[in-house]
């Protein structure tokens, strides 16, 4: 099969589009014929060698944490899935990924794919959708009627966070640049962070701050002042710990996303009910994944990009 792999850590140039062995599913695994994977910033961090501690991989490594595709073969002892089923999943970060024609997936990482969008587009959902879901509901315990500030809402996670918070009945304040205004149009308030200071623009306390932006430490600390006593700040920029305010009971939580097929199935159900929109900025062929990594390293990738293997 064709795959993109790196045999050593380094810059995007270490990625090679090459032939690889067709994987064989073990017990508890299925083999998925990949319809698409997607690019996530963590892919670049793993390739660069910056995540060897928390995410050790065996070289050569195939990136691609998200997968959408069709079950092609089953390992022993599996029920509930059949060859031909269309699935989506968030794959283990330390195992070979879906930047290939086929990938092995633990059955517990997979959910049925949405029926209302093309299968390749569904690859844009798992990692970023689960990040938004877990931030808002597992960690922030968001409830209807609460006020939530999504800082950095113009990115892929932010677009889902705004939609999910609105669907939950929250009042949503989103910060985004004019370029990302369309992605956050469902928010109740939109702050253009390129022209306005967020801490000045938010005039009433919020129950939840979800920080998705790589802001300076002092900017992150300032966001805590916007949270009412007893509220929470959830932070996804894990290289910079989430600040808290113990005197006022404001908790700071660092989010490490995990694979959860039940939560993914809930997201898929919202997609199929028309309540959650999957936004795909562009689609690129698998052979161009090294160039995509290079573009991302230069800050030239905006929105969610899905990556398509060659079709038979």
């Amino acid at each position: 099969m064709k795959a993109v792999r790196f045999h050593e850590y380094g810059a995007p140039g270490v990625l090679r589009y090459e032939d690889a062995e067709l994987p064989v599913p073990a017990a508890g695994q299925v083999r998925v014929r990949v319809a698409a994977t997607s690019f996530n910033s963590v892919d670049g961090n793993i390739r660069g060698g910056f995540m060897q501690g928390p995410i050790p991989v065996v070289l050569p490594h195939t990136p691609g944490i998200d997968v959408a595709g069709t079950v092609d073969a089953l390992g022993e002892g599996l029920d509930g899935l059949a060859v031909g089923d269309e699935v989506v999943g968030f794959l283990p970060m330390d195992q070979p990924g879906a930047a290939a024609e086929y990938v092995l997936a633990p059955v517990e990482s997979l959910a049925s794919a949405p029926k209302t969008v093309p299968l390749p587009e569904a690859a844009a959902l798992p990692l970023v959708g689960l990040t938004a879901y877990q931030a808002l509901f597992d960690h922030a315990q968001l409830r209807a009627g609460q006020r939530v500030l999504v800082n950095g809402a113009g990115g892929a996670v932010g677009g889902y966070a705004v939609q999910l918070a609105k669907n939950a009945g929250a009042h949503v304040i989103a910060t985004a640049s004019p370029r990302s205004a369309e992605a956050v149009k469902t928010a109740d308030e939109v702050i253009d962070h390129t022209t306005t200071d967020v801490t000045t623009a938010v005039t009433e306390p919020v129950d939840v701050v979800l920080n998705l932006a790589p802001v300076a430490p002092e900017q992150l600390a300032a966001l805590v002042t916007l949270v009412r006593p007893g509220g929470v700040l959830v932070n996804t920029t894990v290289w910079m710990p989430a600040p808290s305010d113990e005197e006022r009971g404001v908790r700071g939580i660092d989010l490490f996303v995990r694979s959860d097929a039940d939560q993914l199935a809930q997201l898929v159900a919202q997609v199929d009910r028309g309540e959650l929109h999957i936004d795909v900025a562009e689609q690129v062929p698998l052979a161009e994944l090294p160039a995509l990594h290079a573009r991302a390293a230069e800050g030239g990738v905006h929105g969610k990009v899905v990556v398509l293997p060659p079709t038979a």
Side-chain angles (χ1 to χ4, degrees), residues 112-194:
S112 295
K115 302 286 193 288
T116 55
V117 299
L119 185 57
E121 292 185 14
L125 176 66
L127 176 63
V128 290
L130 286 170
T131 300
Y133 186 97
Q134 290 169 20
L136 292 171
F137 303 114
D138 288 358
H139 297 295
Q141 304 288 311
L142 184 69
R143 302 184 304 277
Q146 290 189 318
R147 290 167 53 84
V148 56
L149 168 64
V150 182
N151 192 49
V157 175
Y160 289 114
V162 169
Q163 293 181 75
L164 289 170
K166 281 296 296 177
N167 291 349
H171 180 92
V172 181
I173 307 166
T175 75
S177 68
R179 184 183 61 211
S180 306
E182 181 67 19
V184 298
K185 64 183 180 182
T186 58
D188 297 286
E189 303 175 44
V190 179
I191 299 169
D192 178 359
H193 65 81
T194 65

Side-chain angles (χ1 to χ4, degrees), residues 49-65:
F50 308 121
M51 306 292 286
Q52 294 181 55
I55 309 174
V57 300
V58 175
L59 300 179
H61 179 70
T62 306
I65 297 159

Side-chain angles (χ1 to χ4, degrees), residues 252-273:
I253 297 173
D254 292 303
L255 171 67
F256 297 88
V257 65
R258 59 184 174 82
S259 184
D260 188 311
D262 289 338
Q263 291 180 352
L264 186 54
Q266 292 180 50
L267 294 172
V268 167
Q270 290 195 41
V271 171
D272 280 341
R273 290 197 299 266

Side-chain angles (χ1 to χ4, degrees), residues 30-123:
V30 301
R31 185 171 67 208
V32 177
R33 166 101 194 179
V34 178
T37 185
S38 82
F39 175 78
N40 293 288
S41 58
V42 70
D43 293 323
N45 292 329
I46 294 171
R47 183 215 69 236
F50 308 121
M51 306 292 286
Q52 294 181 55
I55 309 174
V57 300
V58 175
L59 300 179
H61 179 70
T62 306
I65 297 159
D66 290 317
V67 66
T70 306
V71 174
D72 172 74
L74 303 173
E76 290 184 15
L78 286 186
D79 50 52
L81 278 177
V83 171
D85 285 352
E86 293 187 344
V87 292
V88 291
F90 170 21
L91 301 172
M93 291 189 181
D94 59 352
Q95 297 298 310
E101 292 183 278
Y102 294 88
V103 68
L104 298 181
V107 66
E108 64 270 16
S109 71
L110 299 174
S112 295
K115 302 286 193 288
T116 55
V117 299
L119 185 57
E121 292 185 14

